[in-house]
Amino acid sequence: MLDPQTAEKPLTLVKSKANLRKEVDASGDWTVAQIETLFALPFNELMLQAQEAHKANFPEGDVELATLLSIKTGGCPEDCGYCPQAARYDTDVKAEKLMGLEEVLEAAKAAKAAGSNRFCMGAAWREPKDRDIEKVTAMIKGVKALGLETCATLGMLEAGQAQALQEAGLDFYNHNLDTSEDFYRSVISTRGYQDRLDTISNVRAAGMSVCCGGIVGMGESREQRAAFLASLANLSPYPESVPINHLVPVAGTPMADQKPLDPLEFVRTIAVARITMPKARVRLSAGRQELGRAVQAMCFMAGANSIFYGEQLLTTGNPEAEQDRELLAELGLKTKQSCKAEVFV
């Protein structure tokens, strides 16, 4: 019996690329069934389609380097089953106060010196208070003054808070869907799927770009993984940045013993994200270290063109910058030089 996480449909059900695209164009949305059909393509055919989509929309073939700094770590009241920052789980992560402005700016300077284009600031809040927004807007203005793109992930946002961040110059706001709507309650109970969609709507209404993706390998089926990508691809517009995380099981969390997703299934997920959201920056995020160099190389072939860059990714390890530079050089991949945000109209 096939693993439900990687089960493929019989090849007799696979439609041609032309017919699949015609159906999508006619309906305006991707259906879960259409995305499952992509997942079920022979691996070489799926990779070819992803490469064609990537080449057509990113002819330069460059890779964006982004650095993520945890400006407020731990103590989160949420119960996300994958997250060591949840206060209710017994992990090695200790609650810390919000970092000071100068400390954040020093980290941003170091990120720029190492070659990053975008500086992302993450805080372990369910939602920020207005006094928190005031402090973060000062950080945004300071990082923007260094010439970097700015991104923040602070939890759920009210419309007025999103507007304040936009007025401070924030380019991107990250708020992940995490997984499909029907699998969501298996992962999180302290907020609903609609809460996440509402925050994304508030970000769009304020005029900011959206960074939105999720985590694969949490025990979801391939159908649920397809539904997750459909939810992203059918946002109007779909996100400018799509971070795809590979679950990093952390001791003390409910997912500590989760079986790893098959690496080739992860590559397929990257390829399908590229095909369904062709103009987005598809980012390799958490879990890259565990995937290894060869799988990362296949992900770049499948259309990934952004990485979180640096030694630490919130509370989990990340390949060191020098290793990343060596891998990109061996693959002949250039890095994005501009720090101007790519915005969908």
Side-chain angles (χ1 to χ4, degrees):
M1 184 174 180
L2 292 175
D3 185 333
Q5 292 196 50
T6 59
E8 296 188 2
K9 291 181 178 292
L11 294 184
T12 54
L13 297 182
V14 175
K15 303 169 185 173
S16 72
K17 174 174 60 177
N19 288 341
L20 182 61
R21 173 50 60 189
K22 183 177 179 181
E23 287 184 14
V24 175
D25 288 345
S27 68
D29 281 344
W30 286 94
T31 68
V32 175
Q34 288 163 349
I35 294 179
E36 283 189 281
T37 298
L38 285 175
F39 266 105
L41 284 170
F43 191 77
N44 285 352
E45 174 63 19
L46 177 61
M47 293 289 279
L48 176 61
Q49 289 196 32
Q51 289 169 6
E52 289 175 343
H54 189 197
K55 184 75 171 179
N57 292 280
F58 293 92
E60 295 297 319
D62 58 358
V63 176
E64 177 192 66
L65 304 181
T67 294
L68 175 59
L69 176 69
S70 180
I71 60 173
K72 194 280 176 190
T73 303
C76 182
E78 302 271 32
D79 69 349
C80 305
Y82 53 79
C83 187
Q85 300 202 68
R88 67 191 67 206
Y89 303 140
D90 184 14
T91 68
D92 291 335
V93 177
K94 305 302 180 186
E96 298 176 1
K97 294 181 179 179
L98 183 67
M99 292 174 64
L101 175 60
E102 290 306 316
E103 190 177 2
V104 171
L105 294 183
E106 285 302 312
K109 291 174 185 176
K112 184 177 182 181
S116 287
N117 309 106
R118 186 183 304 178
F119 189 73
C120 307
M121 294 163 277
W125 290 318
R126 172 179 166 80
E127 68 273 307
K129 296 180 173 60
D130 287 344
R131 65 174 181 270
D132 300 319
I133 294 290
E134 292 177 8
K135 294 175 181 178
V136 174
T137 54
M139 297 175 186
I140 293 166
K141 292 175 182 178
V143 174
K144 287 285 287 185
L146 298 175
L148 289 165
E149 289 178 16
T150 53
C151 180
T153 178
L154 315 171
M156 295 184 290
L157 288 183
E158 298 293 338
Q161 294 175 323
Q163 190 62 44
L165 295 175
Q166 188 275 334
E167 290 173 359
L170 188 65
D171 297 300
F172 289 82
Y173 192 80
N174 166 261
H175 199 65
N176 290 336
L177 293 182
D178 279 350
T179 188
S180 66
E181 186 170 9
D182 70 328
F183 189 66
Y184 187 83
R185 283 300 179 194
S186 300
V187 180
I188 302 163
S189 70
T190 49
R191 77 171 81 169
Y193 211 70
Q194 188 60 47
D195 292 326
R196 293 183 180 270
L197 293 171
D198 289 346
T199 288
I200 294 168
S201 178
N202 288 337
V203 169
R204 280 290 185 209
M208 288 182 285
S209 295
V210 169
C211 177
C212 183
I215 305 171
V216 298
M218 296 191 292
E220 76 283 354
S221 66
R222 175 180 278 183
E223 180 181 6
Q224 289 166 327
R225 202 152 41 250
F228 155 62
L229 292 177
S231 295
L232 290 174
N234 292 336
L235 291 172
S236 183
Y238 55 75
E240 285 85 351
S241 290
V242 180
I244 304 293
N245 298 272
H246 186 287
L247 176 68
V248 179
V250 178
T253 66
M255 294 188 175
D257 298 321
Q258 179 60 47
K259 177 185 175 183
L261 185 68
D262 181 87
L264 293 183
E265 184 72 3
F266 184 81
V267 177
R268 283 182 181 273
T269 304
I270 296 295
V272 173
R274 169 53 62 214
I275 293 167
T276 56
M277 294 169 279
K279 296 182 182 297
R281 287 277 176 180
V282 177
R283 178 179 298 143
L284 295 182
S285 300
R288 278 202 302 127
Q289 192 169 38
E290 288 74 14
L291 291 172
R293 287 162 49 87
V295 176
Q296 288 185 69
M298 283 194 288
C299 288
F300 289 124
M301 291 176 63
N305 60 350
S306 178
I307 60 173
F308 271 128
Y309 178 70
E311 296 182 9
Q312 190 75 11
L313 182 54
L314 291 181
T315 58
T316 61
N318 203 40
E320 294 185 2
E322 186 60 35
Q323 294 176 7
D324 286 333
R325 286 192 292 265
E326 289 177 359
L327 177 59
L328 293 174
E330 288 182 31
L331 297 176
L333 295 174
K334 299 178 294 183
T335 58
K336 180 185 173 185
Q337 297 303 306
S338 171
C339 287
K340 183 178 180 181
E342 298 157 338
V343 180
F344 294 168
V345 177

